[in-house]
Amino acid sequence: MKTCEVVRYTLENPGDVSALKAAIDSGSVAPESIRAVIGKMEGNGGVNDFTRAFFTQSLFYMLADYLPGSVDVLKARIPCVLSGGTEGVLSPHYTIFCVSEAEDVSNLESVLALGSAMSRVLEPDEIGLMAHVAVCRDAVLAAMADADLSAEEVSFVQVKCPAISAVRAQALIDEGKSACASNSGQIMALSRVAGAWGVGVALGELSMDQLSDDAMLKDFSLLSSRASISSGLEIDRCEVVVLGNSNSWGGNLQIAASPMTDALDLSGPFKALEKLGIDAAPPLSQEDAQRIRSVLVKCEPARSGKIRGNRHTMLDDTDIDPQRHIRGAVGGMVASVVGDGRIFVSGGAEHQGPDEGGIVAVIAEVAG
Amino acid sequence: MKTCEVVRYTLENPGDVSALKAAIDSGSVAPESIRAVIGKMEGNGGVNDFTRAFFTQSLFYMLADYLPGSVDVLKARIPCVLSGGTEGVLSPHYTIFCVSEAEDVSNLESVLALGSAMSRVLEPDEIGLMAHVAVCRDAVLAAMADADLSAEEVSFVQVKCPAISAVRAQALIDEGKSACASNSGQIMALSRVAGAWGVGVALGELSMDQLSDDAMLKDFSLLSSRASISSGLEIDRCEVVVLGNSNSWGGNLQIAASPMTDALDLSGPFKALEKLGIDAAPPLSQEDAQRIRSVLVKCEPARSGKIRGNRHTMLDDTDIDPQRHIRGAVGGMVASVVGDGRIFVSGGAEHQGPDEGGIVAVIAEVAG
Amino acid sequence: MKTCEVVRYTLENPGDVSALKAAIDSGSVAPESIRAVIGKMEGNGGVNDFTRAFFTQSLFYMLADYLPGSVDVLKARIPCVLSGGTEGVLSPHYTIFCVSEAEDVSNLESVLALGSAMSRVLEPDEIGLMAHVAVCRDAVLAAMADADLSAEEVSFVQVKCPAISAVRAQALIDEGKSACASNSGQIMALSRVAGAWGVGVALGELSMDQLSDDAMLKDFSLLSSRASISSGLEIDRCEVVVLGNSNSWGGNLQIAASPMTDALDLSGPFKALEKLGIDAAPPLSQEDAQRIRSVLVKCEPARSGKIRGNRHTMLDDTDIDPQRHIRGAVGGMVASVVGDGRIFVSGGAEHQGPDEGGIVAVIAEVAG
Amino acid sequence: MKTCEVVRYTLENPGDVSALKAAIDSGSVAPESIRAVIGKMEGNGGVNDFTRAFFTQSLFYMLADYLPGSVDVLKARIPCVLSGGTEGVLSPHYTIFCVSEAEDVSNLESVLALGSAMSRVLEPDEIGLMAHVAVCRDAVLAAMADADLSAEEVSFVQVKCPAISAVRAQALIDEGKSACASNSGQIMALSRVAGAWGVGVALGELSMDQLSDDAMLKDFSLLSSRASISSGLEIDRCEVVVLGNSNSWGGNLQIAASPMTDALDLSGPFKALEKLGIDAAPPLSQEDAQRIRSVLVKCEPARSGKIRGNRHTMLDDTDIDPQRHIRGAVGGMVASVVGDGRIFVSGGAEHQGPDEGGIVAVIAEVAG
């Protein structure tokens, strides 16, 4: 029986993987059990955020000392989903998901299951377009198979999709090829949409024939309620991590997800904790706080320019990127509920969760 | 018997005072009753945030059509405490505090009382130094007298203090005069400290002989737990608004304040609402949400670089100012509790409230 | 015989019009002679730059004390073309263009002539689209008639065009109306394109039937070599200032313009000065420097991502807006040539001047 | 006879060292000849700029495949002086300085000589203080010995000094240790001052007994006219590269440096080129442009807030760091002179070159 363990590590800078190295050296983490890494880096989270690539390089150079295969082989095998931007109270960290064989000691009906997969390399002229949707869908299906999870059992799918720079897009256009957009912000958004739709189709929330390049960023009813997609230039494949609860896995962790109807929806994180038997009314007990292993949040700045009828200024700010604004705000809300800044908050929830809202997922230890 | 009414208005841009003008034209606001304005503008909140001066100019040009006295006379009479920065979910708005005579219709023991005062003009070489403390103290005492509030009855003191630019500071130094600091961020911080100490002395929390220029930004035990200070270049006096509950005032509003021990302290806003008879467990009822008239928050990025033991990145970010970071995060938390982005959040809580934490104050209608 | 005088003023903040007021009070500027204002403000130059509106309000409130007509009437009569962003060595300033009757004392063949015009108010769903082109063209023709300049005699046309926010664009789309784009940066760019084409058609460089909404930001061969367009939310009309040399005007000023093939083209400002009889080889003589009355620059970050084959990073920077980058760089170059930071530099040269390059125009006193 | 070769490489991102690897693989660069690397990375140039560390890691992992010694050994041997911030027209690149034995084929009297040295590791409580000055001085003397250059023969000294974060500084203070300052910007500045004074003492421009912690950032007459210092958190030693012209070296390169009196001093780069026999009057001939191998610039935003009497806004901008502003502007000026964005421009010229000005050094091939 497989079991998934989840451990969070902090880091002093994006090149610091010493905490995981120490855990491996001490025997508390078996390097061959590492199946996925999800992390929050301290760059700006945009196209020119190189903290993601720096961490990835540092991680795999370190792991290559413990695992067979070159750095490049490891990179192509273990998903490393990083999001930049630790605005406000957010704390740079990375979470290691390890899968191992274990005797089932818990009497829980259904516990955390994880599957991962890497898609094939996407061509630059596929990114953010329907071809990307199909590629991502296949990778999600592969990850579901890996986890032995049915579509209904999947709680949350975290994907990192490739993007291209505005300059690369212009070059494609000049070569007569397709480019999903010419503006960096929009390229990153369309890459997230393609990823979200790939998840939605794999989970049966959407069907391919409803979807088209034209409907992206237009028909916001076409959404996946369980997808959280980041995009970045540092990768060229879709990297997929599927999470759910399964009665064929062992252990004492569970995942619970909840939609957030908008960026002020405090009941979102309250409900996710409630499903895990944790009363979120502040202050959280020390004990409950320590049961929480991972928090994954997706959010976005409302396109309408208003939240509950009041104007926000995120979309027309030339100084601070809208995604930095929203990560800071929703991160502030969710971190205050769990009493911990080590949460993964990713902006850009286009076609992911309720329109203008988001999703919060929590993994916690539950009483067996 | 005096009564204080509190109304919030939104605005389309920092020069838009049309909502208040319409309220005056319709008779719902008597212009001569306006005793203070507290507002959140959408600039960067720093030295070069001109949205504060733009709004002030727009407001007083408009009011000059309704009130005796020139724009300059009005400016020197009515405190207009503005803070820049509507990061994340925060919504640009301004709140008008009107005081009028009214029959006492409520049976509440103690209700909202407001006093305001303007200090004399501060010289540039006094700003952020002990002379500034004394001037602010006197203005707070005058505002307390205006409200007929004792030190014990004061819940919250909102002050706007003058600052100077780095360039002006350098000129002072070159002239052989005092300048509290040579860096804009530090000048603004020291101006806030001087204001906070002025409040602390007026409220009996501190005594002048404990204080010195040298202890500013060093001995953080010297604090006022009821002061919220903003600083800016657009003014040259201390503008003071004192708020408390009094049994000699009428009306059905009350103010409640609560400390926040750190930037994740969700129990801060929960407790402030509780004191006003509002259960903050989400979702807030429509009815409770509408009872809330004003929310005033003070917060700061923890100097230690850590919140509950985890590293934050606010203090070493060359791209986004630390105060912008913290306003976005704590604003996200508090706005989610009250379900409304129209809250006043001011960064820079040096010597104000618990060290590395902050203060939240809420004004709400209470059942009579 | 008409003559155009040009005077530059500095300001301490965007609300400071004291220098012009002092000039009026001293009799050195006749307020009724003011025909146009072109200025560089210290905001971010983007959609949420309110320094432009603040200065405009301050200017017209002041002028209303000297001129007949309300603030609104004056605003609709005198073009006030402001560009935000004084990156690097650029110095906030505004230039007043005054036209008066004078005896012809110079023996120069052809001297500075100025015409101005205001278009009708543009509807939000016209902005950045072909309707905008036609409206701008008509205003340019009116300004040429005002100056009595033929198309050949026009050296440089400075236009400020209206823009809308991303949120307003979304509202238009929701109402089923046209919006040129949904992203603030792109709306501002398309507004500039429409303005540039309006100039191009008026000057005979382009014809309406070559142009279409679809060709905007696509066919960069459709350009005006004498247009410099800014866009901003603070106005709702096209405000046009046409400048050229005419033998029917008097005075001792001339204007010279020169294209810049790219952002490194130092020969652009050298050639413009040469046409005015000034040797730009550094250091500029004190005397020559004082002859220069105004410098107007248009520039843009090369879309190809390269300048002379080397990669630049302006287009993929999430921290600093591309237009801020390019204004700082080209401003640094041109200001070093004239030895003065009080130059007007406007970013966003789409369809204005050589593709990926820009234009520089200089007004200087010439020997009679 | 030793000779120094200088080659510039561009890179697609801060982890891209493929151009140098290709040069090594093709035999055009002998890896063991690499004596120093000076590069311009595309991060923000501040404390949280991780592009410098990312490049360094990428470079030394690559070199470790070709050279004896571990990554850490190589890092401690070869200076890698990186400056972040490619604002405006600046192009990310790195320059490799190789020293080899060669027959003297030129008939030039004095040609480029290079020496390098690494200081011992600095303790955090030494950084930015007088202890740092002494350590840097010793490293400069060692590098001069390495180059066999006398103080008079040295043209330019490029040093990278370590810095600490604001948070680390606070921790030092809490431990009762020394920290040069508590604000990141000021720590980085003081580290540069210490480096500059170390150079000044080594070159005989300053003597230790003139200097003190208190005089740093106060007495600006205490300067080195040949020092260019960067600081950053990614290193813990002073990394020194000394450049000069010597008649005991061979080759056909020379270095020429020139002060810039302020940020508009176009005659600075003109004079440096003139010393190398290049006429800078634009346009530069293709041939002359290709003779230029490296351009090193130091500059700073004038503390007085004015340049030639006109106000600049760099020092009071909450959105863009002052050093980013000045690099963009002076970079724009110097790059336009040499017609190439691949120049090294470093901000923060405190006590380096003329007060409020800077230095420009050019290495070019000269006719033999």
Side-chain angles (χ1 to χ4, degrees), chain C residues 10-14 42 44 86-92 263-267 270 280-283 306-308 310-314 317 319-320 324-326 328-333 335-342, chain D residues 10-14 42 44 86-92 263-267 270 280-283 306-308 310-314 317 319-320 324-326 328-333 335-342:
Chain C
T10 54
L11 66 178
E12 284 305 301
N13 64 68
E42 61 198 277
N44 62 31
T86 53
E87 294 80 12
V89 296
L90 299 178
S91 184
L264 295 174
D265 187 9
L266 185 61
S267 60
F270 268 63
K306 295 196 170 177
I307 305 176
R308 302 197 188 173
N310 294 311
R311 183 166 71 98
H312 69 77
T313 61
M314 295 184 265
D317 189 345
D319 300 315
I320 297 184
R324 303 206 74 174
H325 271 295
I326 194 67
V330 177
M333 169 176 74
S336 76
V337 174
V338 295
D340 195 320
R342 295 172 304 158
Chain D
T10 55
L11 65 178
E12 284 305 301
N13 63 67
E42 61 197 278
N44 62 32
T86 53
E87 294 79 11
V89 297
L90 300 178
S91 184
L264 295 174
D265 186 9
L266 184 62
S267 59
F270 269 63
K306 295 194 170 179
I307 304 175
R308 302 198 188 171
N310 295 310
R311 184 168 70 98
H312 69 77
T313 61
M314 296 184 264
D317 189 345
D319 300 315
I320 298 183
R324 304 206 73 175
H325 271 296
I326 194 67
V330 176
M333 169 176 74
S336 76
V337 174
V338 296
D340 196 320
R342 296 172 302 159

Side-chain angles (χ1 to χ4, degrees), chain A residues 23 31 46 52 56 65 69 81 92 140 148 159 169-170 201 216 240 243 266 274 287 291 301 328 346-347 364:
Chain A
R52 299 178 304 231
T56 303
D65 288 342
V81 177
V140 175
D148 196 18
V159 185
Q170 191 60 45
V201 173
M216 289 188 181
V240 177
L243 296 160
L266 185 61
E274 197 187 330
E287 199 183 52
R291 287 167 53 196
S346 168

